[in-house]
Amino acid sequence: MILNITDAASSQIQEMMKEEESDNIRLRFGVKGGGCSGLSYAMGFEEDINEELDVLEDNNGIPVVIHRQDVPIIEGTTIDFKQNMMGGGFTIDNPNAIVSCGCGSSFKTATNAGTPDENC
């Protein structure tokens, strides 16, 4: 399994999926260049997959699509959802990240530094 989605994150994602107007909706998780450290996480919903470029896995009741090139960067990552007095949000714990920015949404790995934003 590439990702670990906790029960709290799964419940939140399932609630968000109910708002989508499709029965074939999947969670797409991956990385993109940018952020203070060079790479940022990308998370959203998508219906279409490319079987040559994407990996599809079911994780804690969530159908997840991941671009094959992102797998080595995010393998072993845990997605959780934390609730506090200020609201709630997803947290991402990536064991491959060797540097993360203060807010935790930007990172780099030993093999992929990405492209940091100049405005950070």
Side-chain angles (χ1 to χ4, degrees), residues 4-17:
N4 175 36
I5 298 176
T6 66
D7 290 343
S10 177
S11 292
Q12 184 65 32
I13 293 167
Q14 288 175 7
E15 285 300 313
M16 294 168 68
M17 289 174 79

Side-chain angles (χ1 to χ4, degrees), residues 88-100:
F90 290 100
T91 61
I92 299 171
D93 180 20
N94 184 344
N96 304 304
I98 60 169
V99 172
S100 294

Side-chain angles (χ1 to χ4, degrees), residues 2-5 13 26-32 40-46 54-55 57 62-71 73-80 90-94 107:
I2 299 166
L3 293 177
N4 175 36
I5 298 176
I13 293 167
R26 298 170 179 98
L27 175 70
R28 177 168 290 276
F29 184 78
V31 297
K32 61 183 180 177
S40 295
Y41 297 105
M43 194 162 95
F45 295 115
E46 190 168 301
D54 295 325
V55 175
E57 71 176 23
I62 306 294
V64 181
V65 179
I66 302 166
H67 199 284
R68 288 186 193 281
Q69 72 182 19
D70 293 345
V71 171
I73 299 170
I74 62 172
E75 193 158 18
T77 294
T78 297
I79 301 173
D80 196 7
F90 290 100
T91 61
I92 299 171
D93 180 20
N94 184 344
F107 68 101

Side-chain angles (χ1 to χ4, degrees), residues 17-27 45-48 61-63:
M17 289 174 79
K18 289 178 186 175
E19 296 174 14
E20 299 295 317
E21 296 181 12
S22 172
D23 292 333
N24 291 328
I25 203 72
R26 298 170 179 98
L27 175 70
F45 295 115
E46 190 168 301
E47 288 185 53
D48 300 321
I62 306 294

